Amino acid sequence: MSWSGLVSYSFFISVAFKSSLVLGVAGLGALLLRRQSAAIRHLLWTAALIALLTLPFLAASTPVLRVPVSPALTAYGVFSQNASKPSAHAPKSQPVAPARTGSQAMAAPWPPDWRMLLIVVWVLGMAASFGQMLAAWAVLRRIRKAARLLTVPEVASLTKQLGVKRTIDLLEARRECMPMTFGLFRSQIFLPSDALEWNEERRRIVILHEMAHVLRHDCTTHVLARATLAIYWWNPLAWIAWREFLKERERAADDLVLSTGARPSEYASHLLEIASTMQTNLALTWAAVAIARRSQLEGRLLAILDNGRDRKAVRRMTAISGVALAVAIAAPLAALQSQSSAPSSLGTDPAAVLRSAAIQRDPESLDRAASAAEELGRYDSAQKLLESALALREQRSGRQSVEYGAGLLKLADLEREQGNFDMAQSLYTKALSSLGRTPEAAMALIHMGAIALTDKNVQAAVDDFARAQALDPADAGRSDMWLAIAQQQQENMEQADTSYQSALKKQDPNSEGAATVLELYAQFLRQQGRRSEAKTMLEQSLAIRRALGAQAMSAVQGDGMTVYKVGGEISAPVLLSKVEPAYSPDARAAKYQGSVLLYAEVGADGQAHNIRVSRGLGLGLNEKAVQAIRQWNFKPAGKDGRPVTVGVNIEVNFRLL
């Protein structure tokens, strides 16, 4: 192996190790700053990536800083960057190998030096990455020259409102092109050709978002970060850092838009519509900043809709100081070198590097975002998310597919949750035509039956529950339970008793479903005067609930904050305002009552966090209790005159009048 090959390999391994160290520290820092604003976290990732960009140049140019290291690290060249420099104690002359014969000189070594191949692959990948950047830049410059200027009346006022002092050109792109920002020295915002046809609010929000990128100099940091990724394309941590960099950048821009007074629900709706209907040319995002990426949409929508988020921006001098500090820290790291600079044996190949960046149209992510919005009580946003997910399912599978029926089922559940029973019934009926004989169809029938019970149409409910039994024998215990409830309301007590017993036999005896059946059965038995049997049922249910609560309490990790107990010098939090929990539609239909015991951590902000169910109920009442507690306001607990976080137990009662 040639001497220069060893130098290159050692340099590569050293930079690989140190870059991974920097990215690991940045990841830990981002975790510690998770409660800070997105702008702060974006600054952290920007500083880390720029430090990585300078690392190879600093490593090649800074004076050597020798430190003792583990032989294992030295053996892999982790800190041996300058192995080509001869030691001061090395002999001035070395024995010369005998000259090879002509045939020997003509023969190429085989197998080839794998370390040199590794360097070649690195360089080729780096060249391809920079080539993509330059190609995207050239295409965008060509588009910019051919594009005509758009005249939007409100641009001047929006520029003033956001505090942007740079000159910005609004340019026309093709009709369904994703809005994006481009340019280092003179900023251009590309808008689709039909932007002037949008309503004023959407146009205002889109332009404000792109102006936020201009104000934050995101095009400059985008190019620098992308250049870093081109160098470290083989490192999975670099791709994770790039993903987090993009995520926090868009959230920071969203925060700037929201700071101008934009309504979160409207902003989220416009963003979702843009992401669903407009196309992103991924090749161009190597050089430009696009408004939305579908792969990050779920988290952005949740952040936009969360009113408790810190949305503070970062001052320009703070950003410059942060980047300068990161580079200053990278300099001594780049200079580190082991005390022994002699070349050493490298016994094994480096670990294989996996790289995957698949971006798909994913209705399931929209479902998850809708579920989170529903938990926050933002039903309008949840509905828009589910409608968009349904449209994606229709495009992917068609209206007669089970997937499309499942999307209708989710919309129907949302309507039922809001008390819109007629609309929910209509959607459930449509869903049944697509779901066929599936477990999802059985669930739709159970919900339809519960609505029928609420409307006092007990016979229709009995029919629905009987059909559900036939469709999903694996979950027949649920159908039996609802059939028992309907028979009880029909005053057919003997059949109701039989159905309750059948439901218990078909449930996992340690499950929440079994506990719910036991509680409903106990209510039935008390009404029949069979109090001893009812007491036994409730004791069994309580044992199950306590076991499930213990599992939930042990499985959920805290957020790292110190949590105190009330007592002694720790004062108790004082409830200032509360929201009464709503009854779930299923619990109301079943005339189900009881108490939910919750554990919560009341923070210094007077809000309940890390809420866990230590003893729950079924039929959606746990979720209703948690949803209510999240909206309660407390005077925080105190210790030595300062607010602290304390753990409290809260009991929420559900009683039907």
Side-chain angles (χ1 to χ4, degrees):
M1 180 182 64
S2 69
W3 191 247
S4 60
L6 178 60
V7 173
S8 298
Y9 177 80
S10 294
F11 183 84
F12 171 79
I13 292 298
S14 178
V15 170
F17 177 85
K18 294 172 184 177
S19 65
S20 298
L21 181 63
V22 170
L23 291 172
V25 171
L28 179 61
L31 183 64
L32 296 174
L33 294 173
R34 63 188 180 278
R35 295 188 179 276
Q36 300 298 317
S37 68
I40 290 289
R41 293 191 297 275
H42 180 256
L43 173 59
L44 173 67
W45 286 113
T46 301
L49 289 169
I50 292 177
L52 255 62
L53 185 62
T54 63
L55 187 63
F57 307 98
L58 291 172
S61 59
T62 53
V64 173
L65 178 62
R66 299 189 183 277
V67 293
V69 297
S70 166
L73 296 180
T74 311
Y76 283 90
V78 169
F79 288 105
S80 299
Q81 297 174 351
N82 296 310
S84 60
K85 294 182 180 180
S87 167
H89 303 289
K92 294 185 179 179
S93 61
Q94 299 290 338
V96 179
R100 293 181 293 179
T101 65
S103 59
Q104 289 175 321
M106 292 292 293
W110 189 264
D113 188 340
W114 61 266
R115 282 166 282 192
M116 181 56 68
L117 286 177
L118 184 66
I119 300 303
V120 171
V121 171
W122 176 25
V123 172
L124 290 176
M126 189 163 50
S129 297
F130 277 113
Q132 284 182 297
M133 282 183 63
L134 293 174
W137 197 272
V139 170
L140 283 166
R141 284 179 61 88
R142 188 168 67 250
I143 293 174
R144 181 182 64 185
K145 288 181 180 180
R148 70 180 184 90
L149 289 171
L150 288 176
T151 302
V152 179
E154 58 266 37
V155 166
S157 62
L158 294 178
T159 303
K160 184 177 181 181
Q161 181 181 6
L162 205 56
V164 178
K165 297 180 180 179
R166 300 175 65 182
T167 301
I168 301 175
D169 297 329
L170 294 184
L171 301 174
E172 179 182 357
R174 60 186 177 82
R175 187 175 182 82
E176 293 183 357
C177 179
M178 187 75 71
M180 62 179 64
T181 304
F182 171 68
L184 297 180
F185 305 107
R186 185 179 181 91
S187 299
Q188 293 90 35
I189 296 176
F190 292 100
L191 297 176
S193 57
D194 59 342
L196 296 178
E197 301 171 13
W198 294 348
N199 62 58
E200 184 177 346
E201 179 62 18
R202 173 176 293 185
R203 190 165 59 244
R204 173 182 169 275
I205 281 176
V206 169
I207 294 175
L208 274 175
H209 182 92
E210 298 306 317
M211 284 184 173
H213 286 310
V214 174
L215 180 66
R216 289 169 35 80
H217 299 278
D218 282 338
C219 286
T220 301
T221 57
H222 179 89
V223 170
L224 293 174
R226 196 79 211 196
T228 303
L229 187 64
I231 295 175
Y232 298 92
W233 62 267
W234 40 267
N235 192 335
L237 292 179
W239 285 93
I240 293 173
W242 170 252
R243 183 191 65 199
E244 294 299 311
F245 167 85
L246 294 179
K247 179 182 76 176
E248 302 299 353
R249 180 187 72 195
E250 294 307 316
R251 291 184 182 182
D254 292 338
D255 290 345
L256 277 177
V257 176
L258 293 173
S259 70
T260 66
R263 290 180 58 188
S265 59
E266 291 184 1
Y267 183 41
S269 175
H270 288 304
L271 189 64
L272 177 62
E273 182 68 20
I274 289 169
S276 301
T277 59
M278 296 184 182
Q279 300 173 356
T280 303
N281 188 329
L282 295 179
L284 296 184
T285 58
W286 282 76
V289 178
I291 190 173
R293 290 169 178 257
R294 292 192 180 98
S295 59
Q296 298 174 348
L297 192 58
E298 176 185 351
R300 282 182 68 185
L301 293 175
L302 291 177
I304 290 168
L305 295 171
D306 186 357
N307 292 330
R309 293 233 174 204
D310 184 351
R311 303 192 187 280
K312 292 193 294 289
V314 173
R315 295 182 179 179
R316 183 177 181 181
M317 286 308 301
T318 302
I320 294 174
S321 301
V323 173
L325 178 62
V327 175
I329 293 173
L333 179 64
L336 289 179
Q337 183 182 337
S338 62
Q339 285 183 341
S340 174
S341 62
S344 56
S345 172
L346 296 156
T348 59
D349 293 334
V353 178
L354 301 177
R355 178 184 169 196
S356 174
I359 300 174
Q360 299 178 349
R361 298 177 64 127
D362 183 14
E364 286 75 19
S365 65
L366 297 177
D367 292 341
R368 291 191 292 271
S371 178
E374 185 180 346
E375 288 181 11
L376 295 172
R378 309 190 190 286
Y379 294 112
D380 289 345
S381 300
Q383 182 167 355
K384 291 176 181 177
L385 288 164
L386 289 178
E387 287 172 348
S388 296
L390 184 65
L392 288 177
R393 287 185 168 96
E394 181 181 0
Q395 294 173 12
R396 190 161 72 180
S397 306
R399 289 199 168 204
Q400 298 305 313
S401 65
V402 172
E403 184 183 20
Y404 184 78
L408 284 172
L409 188 60
K410 293 177 187 297
L411 272 172
D413 288 344
L414 183 64
E415 294 290 353
R416 182 174 60 92
E417 190 67 29
Q418 299 175 79
N420 302 327
F421 295 139
D422 289 342
M423 177 60 73
Q425 284 279 30
S426 175
L427 289 169
Y428 283 132
T429 302
K430 291 179 181 178
L432 285 173
S433 66
S434 300
L435 291 171
R437 300 184 61 83
T438 61
E440 291 82 2
M443 186 57 65
L445 285 166
I446 288 175
H447 291 328
M448 290 174 69
I451 293 174
L453 284 181
T454 303
D455 293 339
K456 310 299 184 184
N457 192 349
V458 182
Q459 187 55 50
V462 170
D463 295 341
D464 287 335
F465 299 144
R467 289 175 61 195
Q469 277 182 319
L471 285 178
D472 189 11
D475 195 23
R478 188 198 305 265
S479 304
D480 284 343
M481 179 192 75
W482 278 103
L483 190 57
I485 293 167
Q487 291 164 343
Q488 183 179 348
Q489 293 186 22
Q490 279 183 324
E491 298 186 357
N492 192 343
M493 301 307 177
E494 186 175 344
Q495 287 189 5
D497 196 328
T498 302
S499 295
Y500 274 127
Q501 293 181 29
S502 176
L504 279 177
K505 290 177 182 177
K506 295 174 182 177
Q507 292 282 1
D508 178 347
N510 299 313
S511 67
E512 180 177 323
T516 303
V517 174
L518 286 165
E519 289 152 359
L520 287 165
Y521 195 9
Q523 287 183 188
F524 169 79
L525 292 172
R526 276 200 306 267
Q527 293 173 6
Q528 302 303 303
R530 298 158 63 181
R531 296 187 177 276
S532 176
E533 294 175 74
K535 182 180 178 182
T536 301
M537 296 289 177
L538 287 177
E539 288 173 351
Q540 293 176 19
S541 170
L542 183 60
I544 296 171
R545 295 288 186 196
R546 284 175 173 168
L548 293 173
Q551 292 175 14
M553 295 289 287
S554 63
V556 179
Q557 299 293 325
D559 55 10
M561 297 175 58
T562 301
V563 180
Y564 296 90
K565 292 184 178 180
V566 175
E569 59 182 358
I570 310 297
S571 65
V574 178
L575 182 61
L576 300 177
S577 65
K578 64 184 293 187
V579 174
E580 292 297 334
Y583 241 92
S584 68
D586 283 350
R588 187 176 297 279
K591 299 181 180 179
Y592 180 46
Q593 304 184 90
S595 299
V596 175
L597 184 62
L598 302 168
Y599 169 84
E601 294 168 0
V602 178
D605 58 357
Q607 303 293 313
H609 305 279
N610 202 17
I611 304 171
R612 289 168 265 179
V613 178
S614 54
R615 191 190 69 238
L617 292 172
L619 302 185
L621 293 183
N622 288 347
E623 292 77 7
K624 291 297 184 182
V626 172
Q627 191 177 68
I629 297 301
R630 281 183 177 145
Q631 301 177 69
W632 289 14
N633 292 306
F634 297 83
K635 178 183 177 182
K639 180 179 184 295
D640 300 329
R642 61 185 180 86
V644 295
T645 300
V646 296
V648 296
N649 293 312
I650 303 172
E651 188 174 76
V652 179
N653 296 310
F654 290 93
R655 295 287 181 269
L656 288 169
L657 299 178

